[in-house]
Amino acid sequence: MYDLIIVGAGPAGITASVYAARKKMDFLVVTGDIGGQTAWSGDIGNYTGYQFITGPDLVGKFEEHMFSYNTSVKGGEEVIEVTRAGEVILVKTDKASYQAKAVIVASGKRSRELGVPGEKEYKNKGISYCATCDGPLFSAKNVAIIGGGNSALDAALQLIKIAKYTYIINNTPKLGGDALMRQKIEEARNVEILNNAEVTAVLGGEMVNAVKVNYGEEEKILPVEGVFVEIGLIPNADFVKGVEKNSRGEIKVNSRNETNSPGIFAAGDVTDVPEKQIIIAAGEGAKACLSAFRYAAQH
């Protein structure tokens, strides 16, 4: 029986673990990976204390901090159910089962898929959901980025330095996201932005060689060897039972990171907190741990 189990090791989960360690709680971190979406990020210029740092480098700092407390981490385990049984919270993974007085769900989000012909066939054959991970594979090649928000802009800023030519295919009238990021992209010479455009199919042979796009009243075939899907994220919350969620599937929390189920707390992008930022997720993880500490002490 643990005082606390933390599900996930992104900014929220890692920060919660640091606070749990400093509170001398008997706790466990269960996670499929370390870093979460931060590991996918390219250049980060808005995390306090670092005027510039890459996503992987920031994850390295997080990881170093977490393990400086000899934190117990069950890595590579997929949590398949979190449920309440009386006064105990049960955490079931694909490998084991654990019990705790309190649980913090900090499982983040996963990439939303396009849902068009060719997507399943060409996953890992030209289609990617992580520019940081796979961008270097497309050096001097033509690529397409699907999306128009911050994640798409971040991917574009990485790929314009690597790829020969980059198409940004955005289904709204103009790009969203951070104004400074937009400015840098619009100033690049090897980028073409297609607003009010929609990808209808991914084409290829053994590997991707084109995307089909509805662009206004015109249908275009864009010759590309890489397709980066950046159209939003889906919360990893299906496995959490008995907690209230909003229409987007995010876990509802109050200002103390409490869910409607006593003993189950949530933090970071998996929740309905309105802004999804690394620094906000980290702060929410700290709050969630302090709330869980108080709850565990009372039970």
Side-chain angles (χ1 to χ4, degrees):
M1 172 69 71
Y2 291 95
D3 292 334
L4 173 67
I5 293 175
I6 300 167
V7 178
I14 288 176
T15 306
S17 79
V18 169
Y19 273 70
R22 294 178 64 84
K23 290 291 187 182
K24 298 294 184 180
M25 299 181 78
D26 179 19
F27 74 99
L28 175 69
V29 177
V30 184
T31 185
D33 61 13
I34 292 178
Q37 295 172 57
T38 305
W40 310 347
S41 300
D43 300 345
I44 297 170
N46 58 355
Y47 193 88
T48 308
Y50 296 98
Q51 292 181 343
F52 170 81
I53 191 168
T54 68
D57 285 345
L58 186 56
V59 169
K61 297 289 187 183
F62 287 163
E63 188 173 3
E64 181 183 352
H65 197 170
M66 177 171 68
F67 284 117
S68 71
Y69 293 101
N70 297 314
T71 299
S72 179
V73 177
K74 295 287 185 180
E77 290 197 29
E78 181 186 356
V79 177
I80 56 179
E81 188 173 74
V82 171
T83 187
R84 184 177 178 81
E87 291 295 310
V88 178
I89 313 298
L90 304 177
V91 177
K92 184 178 180 182
T93 77
D94 57 351
K95 296 179 180 177
S97 295
Y98 309 97
Q99 299 181 26
K101 298 176 185 177
V103 167
I104 296 173
V105 179
S107 47
K109 291 189 170 184
R110 64 186 184 276
S111 296
R112 187 183 300 277
E113 297 183 350
L114 277 172
V116 300
E119 181 176 23
K120 290 183 179 179
E121 292 85 341
Y122 292 109
K123 277 184 181 178
N124 301 318
K125 295 181 178 181
I127 290 184
S128 173
Y129 302 84
C130 178
T132 304
C133 316
D134 299 329
L137 300 174
F138 298 90
S139 176
K141 297 179 179 179
N142 293 344
V143 299
I145 298 168
I146 319 302
N150 269 334
S151 59
L153 301 186
D154 181 71
L157 287 174
Q158 296 179 64
L159 289 165
I160 58 179
K161 301 173 186 176
I162 298 169
K164 179 181 179 181
Y165 200 82
T166 299
Y167 298 96
I168 300 176
I169 303 168
N170 172 38
N171 66 358
T172 62
K174 61 181 181 179
L175 294 177
D178 185 83
L180 184 59
M181 295 170 75
R182 287 201 311 269
Q183 180 183 344
K184 289 180 179 180
I185 290 165
E186 289 164 355
E187 290 173 354
R189 296 182 178 180
N190 60 338
V191 173
E192 182 177 346
I193 301 168
L194 284 73
N195 290 319
N196 288 321
E198 182 180 2
V199 174
T200 57
V202 180
L203 310 174
E206 291 186 7
M207 304 288 287
V208 169
N209 60 30
V211 289
K212 186 185 292 186
V213 180
N214 279 344
Y215 185 43
E217 298 181 357
E218 182 182 0
E219 184 177 83
K220 284 193 168 192
I221 304 293
L222 303 178
V224 296
E225 295 178 71
V227 178
F228 292 84
V229 181
E230 300 287 355
I231 57 171
L233 301 162
I234 301 171
N236 295 313
D238 294 343
F239 61 87
V240 190
K241 310 301 180 184
V243 301
E244 190 177 357
K245 300 166 189 172
N246 64 16
S247 60
R248 294 182 294 277
E250 298 168 334
I251 298 172
K252 289 187 174 183
V253 293
N254 63 15
S255 60
R256 296 182 179 87
N257 296 88
E258 297 167 326
T259 70
N260 63 305
S261 183
I264 300 180
F265 302 82
D269 286 8
V270 75
T271 73
D272 62 348
V273 170
E275 301 299 337
K276 315 302 184 186
Q277 299 285 319
I278 296 170
I279 197 166
I280 291 173
E284 290 291 305
K287 285 170 52 192
C289 185
L290 293 173
S291 294
F293 172 75
R294 282 191 292 270
Y295 178 88
Q298 293 168 2
H299 294 76

